[in-house]
Structures are given as structure tokens and as C-alpha cells.
mmCIF file of all heavy atoms in Angstrom:
data_model
loop_
_atom_site.group_PDB
_atom_site.id
_atom_site.type_symbol
_atom_site.label_atom_id
_atom_site.label_comp_id
_atom_site.label_asym_id
_atom_site.label_seq_id
_atom_site.Cartn_x
_atom_site.Cartn_y
_atom_site.Cartn_z
ATOM 1 N N ASP Z 21 35.110 -58.746 51.774
ATOM 2 C CA ASP Z 21 36.033 -58.739 50.669
ATOM 3 C C ASP Z 21 35.394 -59.357 49.374
ATOM 4 O O ASP Z 21 35.699 -58.886 48.282
ATOM 5 C CB ASP Z 21 37.308 -59.541 50.992
ATOM 6 C CG ASP Z 21 38.184 -58.787 52.012
ATOM 7 O OD1 ASP Z 21 38.014 -57.541 52.134
ATOM 8 O OD2 ASP Z 21 39.011 -59.417 52.648
ATOM 9 N N SER Z 22 34.536 -60.321 49.574
ATOM 10 C CA SER Z 22 33.966 -61.031 48.452
ATOM 11 C C SER Z 22 33.003 -60.202 47.649
ATOM 12 O O SER Z 22 32.646 -60.549 46.510
ATOM 13 C CB SER Z 22 33.254 -62.323 48.929
ATOM 14 O OG SER Z 22 32.226 -61.963 49.870
ATOM 15 N N VAL Z 23 32.524 -59.081 48.221
ATOM 16 C CA VAL Z 23 31.561 -58.267 47.490
ATOM 17 C C VAL Z 23 32.043 -56.881 47.211
ATOM 18 O O VAL Z 23 31.335 -56.071 46.530
ATOM 19 C CB VAL Z 23 30.215 -58.151 48.277
ATOM 20 C CG1 VAL Z 23 29.703 -59.567 48.654
ATOM 21 C CG2 VAL Z 23 30.376 -57.282 49.533
ATOM 22 N N LYS Z 24 33.247 -56.488 47.665
ATOM 23 C CA LYS Z 24 33.779 -55.147 47.413
ATOM 24 C C LYS Z 24 33.855 -54.888 45.919
ATOM 25 O O LYS Z 24 34.322 -55.726 45.138
ATOM 26 C CB LYS Z 24 35.172 -55.054 48.036
ATOM 27 C CG LYS Z 24 35.164 -54.788 49.519
ATOM 28 C CD LYS Z 24 36.545 -54.652 50.075
ATOM 29 C CE LYS Z 24 36.522 -54.418 51.582
ATOM 30 N NZ LYS Z 24 37.868 -54.357 52.181
ATOM 31 N N GLY Z 25 33.364 -53.710 45.506
ATOM 32 C CA GLY Z 25 33.370 -53.330 44.129
ATOM 33 C C GLY Z 25 32.187 -53.817 43.365
ATOM 34 O O GLY Z 25 31.953 -53.393 42.231
ATOM 35 N N ARG Z 26 31.348 -54.710 43.977
ATOM 36 C CA ARG Z 26 30.159 -55.190 43.330
ATOM 37 C C ARG Z 26 28.890 -54.796 44.046
ATOM 38 O O ARG Z 26 27.831 -54.536 43.419
ATOM 39 C CB ARG Z 26 30.207 -56.706 43.233
ATOM 40 C CG ARG Z 26 31.395 -57.295 42.443
ATOM 41 C CD ARG Z 26 31.255 -58.779 42.212
ATOM 42 N NE ARG Z 26 31.203 -59.560 43.450
ATOM 43 C CZ ARG Z 26 30.248 -60.374 43.804
ATOM 44 N NH1 ARG Z 26 29.200 -60.532 43.008
ATOM 45 N NH2 ARG Z 26 30.285 -61.065 44.934
ATOM 46 N N PHE Z 27 28.926 -54.725 45.350
ATOM 47 C CA PHE Z 27 27.748 -54.387 46.180
ATOM 48 C C PHE Z 27 27.935 -53.014 46.794
ATOM 49 O O PHE Z 27 29.034 -52.617 47.144
ATOM 50 C CB PHE Z 27 27.531 -55.410 47.283
ATOM 51 C CG PHE Z 27 27.130 -56.790 46.851
ATOM 52 C CD1 PHE Z 27 27.107 -57.172 45.522
ATOM 53 C CD2 PHE Z 27 26.814 -57.749 47.805
ATOM 54 C CE1 PHE Z 27 26.740 -58.450 45.131
ATOM 55 C CE2 PHE Z 27 26.467 -59.028 47.476
ATOM 56 C CZ PHE Z 27 26.460 -59.361 46.088
ATOM 57 N N THR Z 28 26.810 -52.290 46.954
ATOM 58 C CA THR Z 28 26.826 -50.964 47.567
ATOM 59 C C THR Z 28 25.671 -50.839 48.534
ATOM 60 O O THR Z 28 24.528 -51.100 48.190
ATOM 61 C CB THR Z 28 26.726 -49.859 46.501
ATOM 62 O OG1 THR Z 28 27.719 -50.017 45.536
ATOM 63 C CG2 THR Z 28 26.870 -48.488 47.178
ATOM 64 N N ILE Z 29 25.996 -50.424 49.781
ATOM 65 C CA ILE Z 29 24.949 -50.195 50.790
ATOM 66 C C ILE Z 29 24.722 -48.692 50.893
ATOM 67 O O ILE Z 29 25.684 -47.890 50.924
ATOM 68 C CB ILE Z 29 25.353 -50.791 52.161
ATOM 69 C CG1 ILE Z 29 24.224 -50.671 53.138
ATOM 70 C CG2 ILE Z 29 26.644 -50.177 52.711
ATOM 71 C CD1 ILE Z 29 24.458 -51.496 54.419
ATOM 72 N N THR Z 30 23.432 -48.300 50.876
ATOM 73 C CA THR Z 30 23.082 -46.881 50.996
ATOM 74 C C THR Z 30 21.891 -46.781 51.957
ATOM 75 O O THR Z 30 21.247 -47.737 52.268
ATOM 76 C CB THR Z 30 22.734 -46.252 49.640
ATOM 77 O OG1 THR Z 30 21.665 -47.016 49.072
ATOM 78 C CG2 THR Z 30 23.910 -46.253 48.727
ATOM 79 N N ARG Z 31 21.597 -45.525 52.328
ATOM 80 C CA ARG Z 31 20.553 -45.291 53.311
ATOM 81 C C ARG Z 31 19.708 -44.069 52.840
ATOM 82 O O ARG Z 31 20.317 -43.066 52.363
ATOM 83 C CB ARG Z 31 21.165 -45.006 54.664
ATOM 84 C CG ARG Z 31 20.225 -44.590 55.762
ATOM 85 C CD ARG Z 31 21.004 -44.122 56.957
ATOM 86 N NE ARG Z 31 20.187 -43.538 57.960
ATOM 87 C CZ ARG Z 31 20.575 -42.668 58.873
ATOM 88 N NH1 ARG Z 31 21.832 -42.265 58.870
ATOM 89 N NH2 ARG Z 31 19.769 -42.167 59.776
ATOM 90 N N ASP Z 32 18.394 -44.191 52.933
ATOM 91 C CA ASP Z 32 17.452 -43.080 52.642
ATOM 92 C C ASP Z 32 16.795 -42.719 53.974
ATOM 93 O O ASP Z 32 15.921 -43.428 54.446
ATOM 94 C CB ASP Z 32 16.443 -43.487 51.615
ATOM 95 C CG ASP Z 32 15.549 -42.360 51.196
ATOM 96 O OD1 ASP Z 32 15.312 -41.449 52.014
ATOM 97 O OD2 ASP Z 32 15.070 -42.358 50.040
ATOM 98 N N ASN Z 33 17.270 -41.627 54.593
ATOM 99 C CA ASN Z 33 16.744 -41.209 55.891
ATOM 100 C C ASN Z 33 15.257 -40.953 55.851
ATOM 101 O O ASN Z 33 14.523 -41.296 56.767
ATOM 102 C CB ASN Z 33 17.474 -39.972 56.380
ATOM 103 C CG ASN Z 33 18.926 -40.255 56.702
ATOM 104 O OD1 ASN Z 33 19.335 -41.407 56.861
ATOM 105 N ND2 ASN Z 33 19.727 -39.192 56.824
ATOM 106 N N ALA Z 34 14.790 -40.286 54.798
ATOM 107 C CA ALA Z 34 13.417 -39.916 54.706
ATOM 108 C C ALA Z 34 12.459 -41.118 54.651
ATOM 109 O O ALA Z 34 11.329 -41.039 55.149
ATOM 110 C CB ALA Z 34 13.187 -39.056 53.475
ATOM 111 N N LYS Z 35 12.938 -42.216 54.114
ATOM 112 C CA LYS Z 35 12.111 -43.434 53.997
ATOM 113 C C LYS Z 35 12.477 -44.488 55.030
ATOM 114 O O LYS Z 35 11.896 -45.517 55.021
ATOM 115 C CB LYS Z 35 12.297 -44.034 52.598
ATOM 116 C CG LYS Z 35 11.819 -43.122 51.489
ATOM 117 C CD LYS Z 35 11.920 -43.805 50.135
ATOM 118 C CE LYS Z 35 11.449 -42.908 48.976
ATOM 119 N NZ LYS Z 35 11.561 -43.588 47.669
ATOM 120 N N ASN Z 36 13.412 -44.128 55.937
ATOM 121 C CA ASN Z 36 13.843 -45.095 56.963
ATOM 122 C C ASN Z 36 14.170 -46.461 56.319
ATOM 123 O O ASN Z 36 13.779 -47.509 56.824
ATOM 124 C CB ASN Z 36 12.701 -45.259 58.017
ATOM 125 C CG ASN Z 36 12.383 -44.007 58.753
ATOM 126 O OD1 ASN Z 36 13.296 -43.239 59.112
ATOM 127 N ND2 ASN Z 36 11.130 -43.741 58.954
ATOM 128 N N THR Z 37 14.889 -46.385 55.271
ATOM 129 C CA THR Z 37 15.195 -47.563 54.467
ATOM 130 C C THR Z 37 16.677 -47.617 54.121
ATOM 131 O O THR Z 37 17.287 -46.640 53.820
ATOM 132 C CB THR Z 37 14.370 -47.590 53.189
ATOM 133 O OG1 THR Z 37 12.985 -47.594 53.469
ATOM 134 C CG2 THR Z 37 14.682 -48.786 52.331
ATOM 135 N N VAL Z 38 17.213 -48.858 54.207
ATOM 136 C CA VAL Z 38 18.583 -49.104 53.760
ATOM 137 C C VAL Z 38 18.521 -50.031 52.561
ATOM 138 O O VAL Z 38 17.700 -50.968 52.528
ATOM 139 C CB VAL Z 38 19.401 -49.744 54.906
ATOM 140 C CG1 VAL Z 38 20.730 -50.290 54.392
ATOM 141 C CG2 VAL Z 38 19.681 -48.749 56.007
ATOM 142 N N TYR Z 39 19.353 -49.744 51.597
ATOM 143 C CA TYR Z 39 19.370 -50.527 50.347
ATOM 144 C C TYR Z 39 20.699 -51.268 50.212
ATOM 145 O O TYR Z 39 21.727 -50.847 50.712
ATOM 146 C CB TYR Z 39 19.200 -49.600 49.142
ATOM 147 C CG TYR Z 39 17.904 -48.783 49.182
ATOM 148 C CD1 TYR Z 39 17.924 -47.486 49.659
ATOM 149 C CD2 TYR Z 39 16.686 -49.333 48.741
ATOM 150 C CE1 TYR Z 39 16.735 -46.741 49.682
ATOM 151 C CE2 TYR Z 39 15.551 -48.602 48.783
ATOM 152 C CZ TYR Z 39 15.567 -47.301 49.238
ATOM 153 O OH TYR Z 39 14.397 -46.586 49.271
ATOM 154 N N LEU Z 40 20.642 -52.376 49.483
ATOM 155 C CA LEU Z 40 21.878 -53.040 49.068
ATOM 156 C C LEU Z 40 21.759 -53.275 47.577
ATOM 157 O O LEU Z 40 20.885 -54.042 47.091
ATOM 158 C CB LEU Z 40 22.019 -54.357 49.804
ATOM 159 C CG LEU Z 40 23.323 -55.096 49.541
ATOM 160 C CD1 LEU Z 40 24.530 -54.316 50.114
ATOM 161 C CD2 LEU Z 40 23.329 -56.530 50.084
ATOM 162 N N GLN Z 41 22.587 -52.598 46.833
ATOM 163 C CA GLN Z 41 22.668 -52.756 45.354
ATOM 164 C C GLN Z 41 23.624 -53.870 45.061
ATOM 165 O O GLN Z 41 24.815 -53.799 45.443
ATOM 166 C CB GLN Z 41 23.135 -51.473 44.682
ATOM 167 C CG GLN Z 41 23.231 -51.555 43.167
ATOM 168 C CD GLN Z 41 21.875 -51.736 42.504
ATOM 169 O OE1 GLN Z 41 20.915 -51.123 42.881
ATOM 170 N NE2 GLN Z 41 21.849 -52.567 41.449
ATOM 171 N N LEU Z 42 23.178 -54.911 44.382
ATOM 172 C CA LEU Z 42 23.987 -56.068 44.029
ATOM 173 C C LEU Z 42 24.225 -56.048 42.530
ATOM 174 O O LEU Z 42 23.272 -56.196 41.768
ATOM 175 C CB LEU Z 42 23.289 -57.368 44.430
ATOM 176 C CG LEU Z 42 23.053 -57.707 45.924
ATOM 177 C CD1 LEU Z 42 22.038 -56.792 46.557
ATOM 178 C CD2 LEU Z 42 22.614 -59.140 46.096
ATOM 179 N N ASN Z 43 25.471 -55.889 42.134
ATOM 180 C CA ASN Z 43 25.840 -55.909 40.724
ATOM 181 C C ASN Z 43 26.812 -57.072 40.444
ATOM 182 O O ASN Z 43 27.413 -57.589 41.348
ATOM 183 C CB ASN Z 43 26.500 -54.603 40.311
ATOM 184 C CG ASN Z 43 25.573 -53.403 40.443
ATOM 185 O OD1 ASN Z 43 24.343 -53.541 40.283
ATOM 186 N ND2 ASN Z 43 26.090 -52.245 40.663
ATOM 187 N N SER Z 44 26.920 -57.412 39.163
ATOM 188 C CA SER Z 44 27.849 -58.490 38.747
ATOM 189 C C SER Z 44 27.675 -59.724 39.595
ATOM 190 O O SER Z 44 28.632 -60.325 40.083
ATOM 191 C CB SER Z 44 29.280 -57.985 38.814
ATOM 192 O OG SER Z 44 29.478 -56.788 38.038
ATOM 193 N N LEU Z 45 26.459 -60.140 39.728
ATOM 194 C CA LEU Z 45 26.136 -61.259 40.637
ATOM 195 C C LEU Z 45 26.752 -62.548 40.105
ATOM 196 O O LEU Z 45 26.826 -62.827 38.910
ATOM 197 C CB LEU Z 45 24.634 -61.377 40.787
ATOM 198 C CG LEU Z 45 24.045 -60.349 41.752
ATOM 199 C CD1 LEU Z 45 22.523 -60.237 41.543
ATOM 200 C CD2 LEU Z 45 24.344 -60.765 43.206
ATOM 201 N N LYS Z 46 27.161 -63.365 41.083
ATOM 202 C CA LYS Z 46 27.738 -64.690 40.824
ATOM 203 C C LYS Z 46 26.899 -65.763 41.487
ATOM 204 O O LYS Z 46 26.126 -65.486 42.427
ATOM 205 C CB LYS Z 46 29.141 -64.712 41.380
ATOM 206 C CG LYS Z 46 30.042 -63.630 40.951
ATOM 207 C CD LYS Z 46 31.418 -63.673 41.664
ATOM 208 C CE LYS Z 46 32.332 -62.538 41.243
ATOM 209 N NZ LYS Z 46 33.622 -62.586 41.967
ATOM 210 N N ALA Z 47 27.076 -66.996 41.028
ATOM 211 C CA ALA Z 47 26.346 -68.093 41.627
ATOM 212 C C ALA Z 47 26.568 -68.196 43.131
ATOM 213 O O ALA Z 47 25.675 -68.508 43.891
ATOM 214 C CB ALA Z 47 26.732 -69.406 40.917
ATOM 215 N N GLU Z 48 27.792 -67.877 43.541
ATOM 216 C CA GLU Z 48 28.129 -67.990 44.973
ATOM 217 C C GLU Z 48 27.479 -66.887 45.814
ATOM 218 O O GLU Z 48 27.601 -66.934 47.050
ATOM 219 C CB GLU Z 48 29.636 -67.978 45.163
ATOM 220 C CG GLU Z 48 30.348 -66.870 44.521
ATOM 221 C CD GLU Z 48 30.954 -67.265 43.169
ATOM 222 O OE1 GLU Z 48 30.257 -67.992 42.405
ATOM 223 O OE2 GLU Z 48 32.097 -66.875 42.859
ATOM 224 N N ASP Z 49 26.793 -65.933 45.179
ATOM 225 C CA ASP Z 49 26.036 -64.947 45.948
ATOM 226 C C ASP Z 49 24.663 -65.451 46.346
ATOM 227 O O ASP Z 49 23.967 -64.777 47.097
ATOM 228 C CB ASP Z 49 25.899 -63.655 45.099
ATOM 229 C CG ASP Z 49 27.220 -62.952 44.857
ATOM 230 O OD1 ASP Z 49 28.039 -62.873 45.762
ATOM 231 O OD2 ASP Z 49 27.399 -62.517 43.699
ATOM 232 N N THR Z 50 24.293 -66.619 45.850
ATOM 233 C CA THR Z 50 23.025 -67.200 46.189
ATOM 234 C C THR Z 50 22.914 -67.435 47.694
ATOM 235 O O THR Z 50 23.767 -68.092 48.251
ATOM 236 C CB THR Z 50 22.796 -68.521 45.434
ATOM 237 O OG1 THR Z 50 22.748 -68.249 44.042
ATOM 238 C CG2 THR Z 50 21.514 -69.217 45.886
ATOM 239 N N ALA Z 51 21.852 -66.909 48.309
ATOM 240 C CA ALA Z 51 21.687 -67.032 49.720
ATOM 241 C C ALA Z 51 20.390 -66.280 50.135
ATOM 242 O O ALA Z 51 19.771 -65.607 49.316
ATOM 243 C CB ALA Z 51 22.853 -66.367 50.497
ATOM 244 N N VAL Z 52 20.013 -66.491 51.402
ATOM 245 C CA VAL Z 52 19.008 -65.624 52.003
ATOM 246 C C VAL Z 52 19.687 -64.441 52.593
ATOM 247 O O VAL Z 52 20.655 -64.552 53.367
ATOM 248 C CB VAL Z 52 18.171 -66.385 53.093
ATOM 249 C CG1 VAL Z 52 17.162 -65.429 53.705
ATOM 250 C CG2 VAL Z 52 17.490 -67.599 52.495
ATOM 251 N N TYR Z 53 19.230 -63.250 52.211
ATOM 252 C CA TYR Z 53 19.828 -62.033 52.710
ATOM 253 C C TYR Z 53 18.983 -61.418 53.798
ATOM 254 O O TYR Z 53 17.743 -61.267 53.641
ATOM 255 C CB TYR Z 53 19.989 -61.039 51.543
ATOM 256 C CG TYR Z 53 21.116 -61.393 50.619
ATOM 257 C CD1 TYR Z 53 21.074 -62.487 49.773
ATOM 258 C CD2 TYR Z 53 22.288 -60.607 50.562
ATOM 259 C CE1 TYR Z 53 22.161 -62.848 48.969
ATOM 260 C CE2 TYR Z 53 23.342 -60.929 49.711
ATOM 261 C CZ TYR Z 53 23.245 -62.063 48.937
ATOM 262 O OH TYR Z 53 24.309 -62.389 48.128
ATOM 263 N N TYR Z 54 19.630 -61.138 54.881
ATOM 264 C CA TYR Z 54 18.965 -60.571 56.103
ATOM 265 C C TYR Z 54 19.449 -59.163 56.369
ATOM 266 O O TYR Z 54 20.665 -58.882 56.223
ATOM 267 C CB TYR Z 54 19.230 -61.438 57.307
ATOM 268 C CG TYR Z 54 18.702 -62.847 57.204
ATOM 269 C CD1 TYR Z 54 19.518 -63.860 56.708
ATOM 270 C CD2 TYR Z 54 17.433 -63.174 57.645
ATOM 271 C CE1 TYR Z 54 19.065 -65.175 56.623
ATOM 272 C CE2 TYR Z 54 16.986 -64.474 57.602
ATOM 273 C CZ TYR Z 54 17.815 -65.461 57.096
ATOM 274 O OH TYR Z 54 17.346 -66.766 56.993
#
């Protein structure tokens, strides 16, 4: 709930890669992302 509307997860099959787009970042988003 804390990231809805700000973050987007997508996948590129050809590159075997998943992305996380982080927009409108806040101080409370500070963390190690796994």
C-alpha cells in the first residue's frame, strides 16, 4: 500500500530481467532493495 501509484514492477522476458520503477521517492523509501 505504501508504494501503490509510485512504484511499478515490470518484466523483460528477452533480457530475463525484472525492473522496479521508483517515482516520487520519499525519505521513508530509504532501504536496501532485494
